[in-house]
Amino acid sequence: MSNYMNKDNIITSVQNSRVKQWAQLQERKHRKRERRFLVEGTHLVLEAMKSGARVECVAYDEAVGLPQELLPHADSDSGRFIEWIGVTDAIIRKCCDTETPQPVFAVVGMLDSETEALFTKGDGLVVVVDGVQDPGNLGTIIRTADAVGASGVVVGKGSVDVYNAKTVRSTMGSMFHLPVVEGDLAELLPQAKATGARVVSTSLQATSSCYEYDFRQATWLVVGNEGQGVSPAVQALVDEAVIIPMQGQAESLNVAMATTVLLYEAMRQRLYA
């Protein structure tokens, strides 16, 4: 019998100690210390469960009941290892940062993506994020990397937290589909180059078009901060800079959009050329 069938597993007070612990996970320092984060909404909870992530507990609005999509998982063998907890709407609002939260969230252990996985594929395509500050941009970059079949995403120091609630929502579950690694680019980029990968970035001063670059080779694609671009320290490790041609009046593209253009060009070359 799954824990979901235990109707005594209900919390009604927002002052409950567990509720306070869950609410604290909205802050990066508590997520880092606890090695846990929150996943909000039926779709993301479902994606976390299907991926095999360490889902510790699922809290759902007792007045509404567990969403239909999650019922098969609650009654499955794996569901026995997850704590299913009925809570109030007030508790959900306390723990979730959306204005009108969905009636379910989960507490999930941080992902165990290892950097070694990024070096194993000879023609790997890795997205490297250097100082991206907007959680929506980072989430979209991760989602696009998943969509094109990239090998993984590396998030450098100074970037927004991968486990920020807005970032997690923006990935639409893609953070559970491919390795997403937080690391020091000063260490990881030289390691990638030592394995034969080329490190490429975008630059408005570049003379080569992104459509001229050979994305079929092992490539680590570096994208930078929304305002400043790639930092000088990371740019010094780049093998080649390319520019995205533009015919209109726009000076540049949003970092998530620019990354999308480059990744789909890489997919086109690798699969459809």
Side-chain angles (χ1 to χ4, degrees), residues 64-127:
V64 177
L66 191 68
Q68 290 292 321
E69 299 92 328
L70 297 177
L71 284 173
H73 295 271
D75 293 328
S76 68
D77 289 340
S78 60
R80 293 184 294 117
F81 300 101
I82 298 173
E83 190 175 7
W84 303 83
I85 306 172
V87 298
T88 64
D89 177 70
I91 290 174
I92 290 175
R93 290 179 180 276
K94 182 180 178 68
C95 297
C96 299
D97 76 338
T98 49
E99 192 170 322
T100 54
Q102 294 186 48
V104 63
F105 68 87
V107 178
V108 182
M110 285 190 176
L111 309 178
D112 291 326
S113 298
E114 298 293 336
T115 56
E116 287 74 14
L118 304 175
F119 302 110
T120 55
K121 193 173 180 182
D123 61 347
L125 175 63
V126 176
V127 184

Side-chain angles (χ1 to χ4, degrees), residues 193-272:
K193 293 167 67 135
T195 65
R198 297 277 292 172
V199 178
V200 62
S201 72
T202 57
S203 170
L204 294 176
Q205 287 72 48
T207 56
S208 297
S209 160
C210 62
Y211 302 119
E212 298 171 327
Y213 181 80
D214 184 2
F215 280 104
R216 294 171 298 179
Q217 62 190 319
T219 299
W220 283 46
L221 172 63
V222 181
V223 297
N225 174 269
E226 288 86 348
Q228 305 300 318
V230 177
S231 64
V234 172
Q235 192 66 47
L237 298 170
V238 169
D239 296 309
E240 188 171 349
V242 298
I243 190 169
I244 299 174
M246 289 178 286
Q247 299 301 308
Q249 301 297 314
E251 293 183 359
S252 62
L253 296 175
N254 165 283
V255 63
M257 180 60 72
T259 305
T260 299
V261 171
L262 295 166
L263 288 176
Y264 269 88
E265 170 59 14
M267 185 176 72
R268 185 196 68 79
Q269 290 186 19
R270 289 170 174 236
L271 299 177
Y272 301 104

Side-chain angles (χ1 to χ4, degrees), residues 3-102:
N3 290 328
Y4 172 61
M5 302 303 293
N6 180 4
K7 295 304 183 181
D8 295 327
N9 209 15
I10 297 173
I11 298 175
T12 58
S13 172
V14 294
Q15 299 304 320
N16 181 278
S17 60
R18 294 194 68 184
V19 173
K20 291 180 178 180
Q21 290 175 353
W22 296 338
Q24 285 182 334
L25 294 178
Q26 294 183 57
E27 298 181 41
R28 185 172 190 167
K29 65 179 181 180
H30 292 293
R31 291 193 295 267
K32 187 174 182 179
R33 184 188 67 207
E34 298 288 333
R35 300 293 300 165
R36 302 186 299 166
F37 68 107
L38 295 179
V39 169
E40 305 171 17
T42 302
H43 174 73
L44 287 175
V45 172
L46 190 58
E47 290 298 311
M49 294 182 68
K50 291 194 306 187
S51 74
R54 297 192 310 278
V55 180
E56 298 179 8
C57 67
V58 174
Y60 61 95
D61 189 337
E62 174 66 15
V64 177
L66 191 68
Q68 290 292 321
E69 299 92 328
L70 297 177
L71 284 173
H73 295 271
D75 293 328
S76 68
D77 289 340
S78 60
R80 293 184 294 117
F81 300 101
I82 298 173
E83 190 175 7
W84 303 83
I85 306 172
V87 298
T88 64
D89 177 70
I91 290 174
I92 290 175
R93 290 179 180 276
K94 182 180 178 68
C95 297
C96 299
D97 76 338
T98 49
E99 192 170 322
T100 54
Q102 294 186 48

